[in-house]
Amino acid sequence: MTRFRTTPRPRARRPRLRAGFAALALAGATAGGLLSGAAPASALDNGLALTPPMGFNDWNAIGCSVSESFIKQTADFIHTHVLPSGETLQQSGYTYVNIDDCWAKTSRDSKGNLVPDPAKFPDGISGTADYVHGLGLKLGLYNDSGTKTCSSSHGFPGSFQHEAQDAMTFAKWHVDYLKDDNCNQASGQGTRSATIKRYTDMRDGLAAARAATGQAIVFSICQKGDNGINTEDWSPAVGNLWRTTGDVHTNWTRLDSIIDKNIPLAASAGPGAWNDPDMLEVGNSGLSDTEQKTQFSMWAEMAAPLLIGTKLAGASSETLTILGNTEVTAIDQDSLGKQGTQVSNSSGLRVLAKKLSNGDIAVAFFNETGSSASVSTTASKVGFGSNAQYQQRDVWAHKTTTTSSTSWKVTVPSHGTVLWRVHPVAASTTSSGS
Ligand code: GLA
């Protein structure tokens, strides 16, 4: 397993896993050690994505129609749009502007290099990266670990057996984030061991390219659990985030099933390593306002990447109000890096709790049923010891209620989520909320 560091490690993190990493390193383990099916003892230690990546990806917004002008326009919007908080979208944390499938020519050049389609990207990926970097943002790019990308009817080349070469190309273009998909596997490449090897080869390619160029690239695995192969057991040692489900769509059944699948995976997540239940559909028609807020709330509660997937130019004020709710994004981005865990599920009335770095706990009351309902929990169930009072901040209503009761109940609309940030108040320092 190639390990490298071209910059100092930012700060201590993941003590639980670091001991495991030491043990693995001492044992001289290689990527092959992951192939047995045993859970990895270590996390990828590249110092990147210490909080879930935030930004934009074009796929849910425009599918295969990506272009340099669209990416630049989106970057401009993130850079300039001012939220009610007074911050720009960029200042509120949206950083990555990611190009998805369909950016390349259908053939490599005579040296086997990937080539951006000049009709779509006249300045190439590197010119686009320069522009995005000029705004203080970062650029992401899509590839595929198979022979062709997922948009296979177009025939864009995949990185299979070109991993090191393509990683070097991405680094030289100053790409900051790579989403690596899993379509069109060559014969025999769909097994667990072959899958892990393909992604490990790209991880190692990115490490070598970083050592050679200094370009650090967040590694986003998009294996999605294909072929019945779990991803959350091996991916933390290989990537910074990994898709845990099939593609999100703008319908409730799909969104709810993705939430169902991602909730139990909390133990795999932590700084530098995130479960990825796919990108945001906030702003796209097909989900109600309540359902869109549920996606945003539950993604934050599950410490998921927050990648906007709608056309920002022309987005409604409702859409921008959801995406720009900095009380919600603060829960997602909390430095402790815990994914919220489910503390109860009573026939689809679900409560999750996410510990935050200052001792607060984010509590999500999620109603996946077809009618409005009361959802209850207690201070001890969500993880508090005994406190004199609790300040319950409703991060959508932007209101705080202070209570000394330890039994809590809220009314949650069908498909809705009430999200609280609860602050414990010790006996000697009680104060009223506002
Ligand atoms: C797959 C991925 C999507 C998107 C498309 C592009 O379906 O899961 O997120 O990248 O490929 O073809």
Side-chain angles (χ1 to χ4, degrees), residues 59 100-101 142 150-151 179 181 222 224 243 247 278-279:
W59 185 256
D100 209 275
D101 202 354
Y142 168 100
C150 286
S151 195
K179 171 178 173 181
D181 215 332
C222 190
K224 298 169 277 204
R243 281 276 301 278
D247 288 6
D278 205 1
M279 302 173 290

PDB file of all heavy atoms in Angstrom, residues 59 100-101 142 150-151 179 181 222 224 243 247 278-279, ligand 1:
ATOM      1  N   TRP A  59     -24.089  16.575 -12.902  1.00  0.00           N
ATOM      2  CA  TRP A  59     -24.858  15.464 -13.470  1.00  0.00           C
ATOM      3  C   TRP A  59     -26.364  15.589 -13.232  1.00  0.00           C
ATOM      4  O   TRP A  59     -27.164  15.457 -14.165  1.00  0.00           O
ATOM      5  CB  TRP A  59     -24.337  14.125 -12.944  1.00  0.00           C
ATOM      6  CG  TRP A  59     -25.022  12.969 -13.598  1.00  0.00           C
ATOM      7  CD1 TRP A  59     -25.987  12.162 -13.076  1.00  0.00           C
ATOM      8  CD2 TRP A  59     -24.829  12.518 -14.956  1.00  0.00           C
ATOM      9  NE1 TRP A  59     -26.392  11.237 -13.998  1.00  0.00           N
ATOM     10  CE2 TRP A  59     -25.694  11.435 -15.160  1.00  0.00           C
ATOM     11  CE3 TRP A  59     -24.002  12.933 -16.009  1.00  0.00           C
ATOM     12  CZ2 TRP A  59     -25.765  10.752 -16.376  1.00  0.00           C
ATOM     13  CZ3 TRP A  59     -24.074  12.252 -17.219  1.00  0.00           C
ATOM     14  CH2 TRP A  59     -24.944  11.188 -17.390  1.00  0.00           C
ATOM     15  N   ASP A 100     -18.845  16.118 -14.278  1.00  0.00           N
ATOM     16  CA  ASP A 100     -19.191  14.690 -14.309  1.00  0.00           C
ATOM     17  C   ASP A 100     -18.908  14.137 -15.705  1.00  0.00           C
ATOM     18  O   ASP A 100     -18.083  14.679 -16.457  1.00  0.00           O
ATOM     19  CB  ASP A 100     -20.649  14.491 -13.846  1.00  0.00           C
ATOM     20  CG  ASP A 100     -20.878  13.136 -13.196  1.00  0.00           C
ATOM     21  OD1 ASP A 100     -21.131  12.156 -13.932  1.00  0.00           O
ATOM     22  OD2 ASP A 100     -20.787  13.037 -11.952  1.00  0.00           O
ATOM     23  N   ASP A 101     -19.568  13.054 -16.035  1.00  0.00           N
ATOM     24  CA  ASP A 101     -19.330  12.314 -17.280  1.00  0.00           C
ATOM     25  C   ASP A 101     -19.507  13.218 -18.510  1.00  0.00           C
ATOM     26  O   ASP A 101     -20.198  14.233 -18.453  1.00  0.00           O
ATOM     27  CB  ASP A 101     -20.331  11.151 -17.319  1.00  0.00           C
ATOM     28  CG  ASP A 101     -19.897  10.013 -18.221  1.00  0.00           C
ATOM     29  OD1 ASP A 101     -18.872  10.160 -18.922  1.00  0.00           O
ATOM     30  OD2 ASP A 101     -20.581   8.983 -18.213  1.00  0.00           O
ATOM     31  N   TYR A 142     -14.593  13.581 -13.345  1.00  0.00           N
ATOM     32  CA  TYR A 142     -15.178  12.232 -13.335  1.00  0.00           C
ATOM     33  C   TYR A 142     -14.344  11.325 -14.239  1.00  0.00           C
ATOM     34  O   TYR A 142     -13.869  11.756 -15.306  1.00  0.00           O
ATOM     35  CB  TYR A 142     -16.597  12.350 -13.880  1.00  0.00           C
ATOM     36  CG  TYR A 142     -17.291  11.046 -14.225  1.00  0.00           C
ATOM     37  CD1 TYR A 142     -18.203  10.468 -13.349  1.00  0.00           C
ATOM     38  CD2 TYR A 142     -17.055  10.404 -15.456  1.00  0.00           C
ATOM     39  CE1 TYR A 142     -18.864   9.288 -13.681  1.00  0.00           C
ATOM     40  CE2 TYR A 142     -17.714   9.233 -15.784  1.00  0.00           C
ATOM     41  CZ  TYR A 142     -18.612   8.675 -14.891  1.00  0.00           C
ATOM     42  OH  TYR A 142     -19.271   7.512 -15.212  1.00  0.00           O
ATOM     43  N   CYS A 150     -19.880   5.532 -17.621  1.00  0.00           N
ATOM     44  CA  CYS A 150     -21.255   5.027 -17.508  1.00  0.00           C
ATOM     45  C   CYS A 150     -22.138   5.503 -18.646  1.00  0.00           C
ATOM     46  O   CYS A 150     -23.124   4.859 -18.978  1.00  0.00           O
ATOM     47  CB  CYS A 150     -21.858   5.432 -16.172  1.00  0.00           C
ATOM     48  SG  CYS A 150     -21.181   4.487 -14.800  1.00  0.00           S
ATOM     49  N   SER A 151     -21.800   6.619 -19.242  1.00  0.00           N
ATOM     50  CA  SER A 151     -22.585   7.095 -20.374  1.00  0.00           C
ATOM     51  C   SER A 151     -22.095   6.333 -21.609  1.00  0.00           C
ATOM     52  O   SER A 151     -21.555   6.903 -22.562  1.00  0.00           O
ATOM     53  CB  SER A 151     -22.392   8.595 -20.527  1.00  0.00           C
ATOM     54  OG  SER A 151     -23.367   9.111 -21.368  1.00  0.00           O
ATOM     55  N   LYS A 179     -13.924  11.674  -9.098  1.00  0.00           N
ATOM     56  CA  LYS A 179     -15.021  10.712  -8.903  1.00  0.00           C
ATOM     57  C   LYS A 179     -14.780   9.558  -9.867  1.00  0.00           C
ATOM     58  O   LYS A 179     -14.728   9.756 -11.083  1.00  0.00           O
ATOM     59  CB  LYS A 179     -16.360  11.390  -9.202  1.00  0.00           C
ATOM     60  CG  LYS A 179     -17.560  10.447  -9.252  1.00  0.00           C
ATOM     61  CD  LYS A 179     -18.834  11.241  -9.513  1.00  0.00           C
ATOM     62  CE  LYS A 179     -20.041  10.343  -9.748  1.00  0.00           C
ATOM     63  NZ  LYS A 179     -21.260  11.130 -10.023  1.00  0.00           N
ATOM     64  N   ASP A 181     -15.980   6.083 -11.313  1.00  0.00           N
ATOM     65  CA  ASP A 181     -17.200   5.271 -11.455  1.00  0.00           C
ATOM     66  C   ASP A 181     -16.859   3.803 -11.728  1.00  0.00           C
ATOM     67  O   ASP A 181     -15.676   3.425 -11.812  1.00  0.00           O
ATOM     68  CB  ASP A 181     -18.079   5.882 -12.570  1.00  0.00           C
ATOM     69  CG  ASP A 181     -19.559   5.754 -12.269  1.00  0.00           C
ATOM     70  OD1 ASP A 181     -19.950   4.814 -11.560  1.00  0.00           O
ATOM     71  OD2 ASP A 181     -20.332   6.590 -12.764  1.00  0.00           O
ATOM     72  N   CYS A 222     -16.940   5.518  -6.691  1.00  0.00           N
ATOM     73  CA  CYS A 222     -18.355   5.450  -7.111  1.00  0.00           C
ATOM     74  C   CYS A 222     -18.698   4.015  -7.489  1.00  0.00           C
ATOM     75  O   CYS A 222     -19.168   3.736  -8.582  1.00  0.00           O
ATOM     76  CB  CYS A 222     -18.566   6.423  -8.271  1.00  0.00           C
ATOM     77  SG  CYS A 222     -20.287   6.674  -8.728  1.00  0.00           S
ATOM     78  N   LYS A 224     -20.738   1.992  -5.610  1.00  0.00           N
ATOM     79  CA  LYS A 224     -22.192   1.920  -5.386  1.00  0.00           C
ATOM     80  C   LYS A 224     -22.701   0.581  -4.882  1.00  0.00           C
ATOM     81  O   LYS A 224     -23.895   0.301  -4.957  1.00  0.00           O
ATOM     82  CB  LYS A 224     -22.948   2.249  -6.688  1.00  0.00           C
ATOM     83  CG  LYS A 224     -22.715   3.632  -7.221  1.00  0.00           C
ATOM     84  CD  LYS A 224     -23.246   3.821  -8.629  1.00  0.00           C
ATOM     85  CE  LYS A 224     -22.256   3.313  -9.645  1.00  0.00           C
ATOM     86  NZ  LYS A 224     -22.365   3.906 -10.974  1.00  0.00           N
ATOM     87  N   ARG A 243     -19.621   6.021  -2.767  1.00  0.00           N
ATOM     88  CA  ARG A 243     -21.061   5.904  -2.978  1.00  0.00           C
ATOM     89  C   ARG A 243     -21.553   4.608  -2.354  1.00  0.00           C
ATOM     90  O   ARG A 243     -20.979   3.547  -2.570  1.00  0.00           O
ATOM     91  CB  ARG A 243     -21.360   5.940  -4.472  1.00  0.00           C
ATOM     92  CG  ARG A 243     -21.348   7.349  -5.067  1.00  0.00           C
ATOM     93  CD  ARG A 243     -22.687   8.054  -4.871  1.00  0.00           C
ATOM     94  NE  ARG A 243     -23.724   7.281  -5.504  1.00  0.00           N
ATOM     95  CZ  ARG A 243     -23.987   7.338  -6.819  1.00  0.00           C
ATOM     96  NH1 ARG A 243     -23.334   8.170  -7.594  1.00  0.00           N
ATOM     97  NH2 ARG A 243     -24.935   6.586  -7.344  1.00  0.00           N
ATOM     98  N   ASP A 247     -28.036   5.363  -8.049  1.00  0.00           N
ATOM     99  CA  ASP A 247     -28.206   6.808  -8.268  1.00  0.00           C
ATOM    100  C   ASP A 247     -29.468   7.352  -7.600  1.00  0.00           C
ATOM    101  O   ASP A 247     -30.516   6.722  -7.608  1.00  0.00           O
ATOM    102  CB  ASP A 247     -28.298   7.096  -9.767  1.00  0.00           C
ATOM    103  CG  ASP A 247     -26.955   6.918 -10.468  1.00  0.00           C
ATOM    104  OD1 ASP A 247     -25.997   6.471  -9.818  1.00  0.00           O
ATOM    105  OD2 ASP A 247     -26.881   7.223 -11.667  1.00  0.00           O
ATOM    106  N   ASP A 278     -25.008   9.811  -2.520  1.00  0.00           N
ATOM    107  CA  ASP A 278     -25.191  10.474  -3.822  1.00  0.00           C
ATOM    108  C   ASP A 278     -25.495  11.969  -3.627  1.00  0.00           C
ATOM    109  O   ASP A 278     -25.615  12.474  -2.524  1.00  0.00           O
ATOM    110  CB  ASP A 278     -26.237   9.775  -4.697  1.00  0.00           C
ATOM    111  CG  ASP A 278     -25.997  10.037  -6.193  1.00  0.00           C
ATOM    112  OD1 ASP A 278     -25.020  10.730  -6.535  1.00  0.00           O
ATOM    113  OD2 ASP A 278     -26.800   9.549  -7.014  1.00  0.00           O
ATOM    114  N   MET A 279     -25.638  12.624  -4.754  1.00  0.00           N
ATOM    115  CA  MET A 279     -25.641  14.093  -4.760  1.00  0.00           C
ATOM    116  C   MET A 279     -27.032  14.643  -4.460  1.00  0.00           C
ATOM    117  O   MET A 279     -28.019  13.918  -4.434  1.00  0.00           O
ATOM    118  CB  MET A 279     -25.138  14.564  -6.125  1.00  0.00           C
ATOM    119  CG  MET A 279     -23.736  14.004  -6.387  1.00  0.00           C
ATOM    120  SD  MET A 279     -23.103  14.303  -8.029  1.00  0.00           S
ATOM    121  CE  MET A 279     -24.095  13.255  -9.058  1.00  0.00           C
TER     122      MET A 279
HETATM  123  C1  GLA B   1     -23.349   6.853 -12.900  1.00  0.00           C
HETATM  124  C2  GLA B   1     -23.109   7.636 -11.609  1.00  0.00           C
HETATM  125  C3  GLA B   1     -23.772   8.989 -11.734  1.00  0.00           C
HETATM  126  C4  GLA B   1     -23.197   9.732 -12.930  1.00  0.00           C
HETATM  127  C5  GLA B   1     -23.366   8.889 -14.198  1.00  0.00           C
HETATM  128  C6  GLA B   1     -22.622   9.481 -15.380  1.00  0.00           C
HETATM  129  O1  GLA B   1     -24.697   6.555 -13.080  1.00  0.00           O
HETATM  130  O2  GLA B   1     -23.595   6.933 -10.514  1.00  0.00           O
HETATM  131  O3  GLA B   1     -23.571   9.734 -10.554  1.00  0.00           O
HETATM  132  O4  GLA B   1     -21.850   9.999 -12.688  1.00  0.00           O
HETATM  133  O5  GLA B   1     -22.861   7.580 -14.003  1.00  0.00           O
HETATM  134  O6  GLA B   1     -22.710   8.690 -16.516  1.00  0.00           O
END
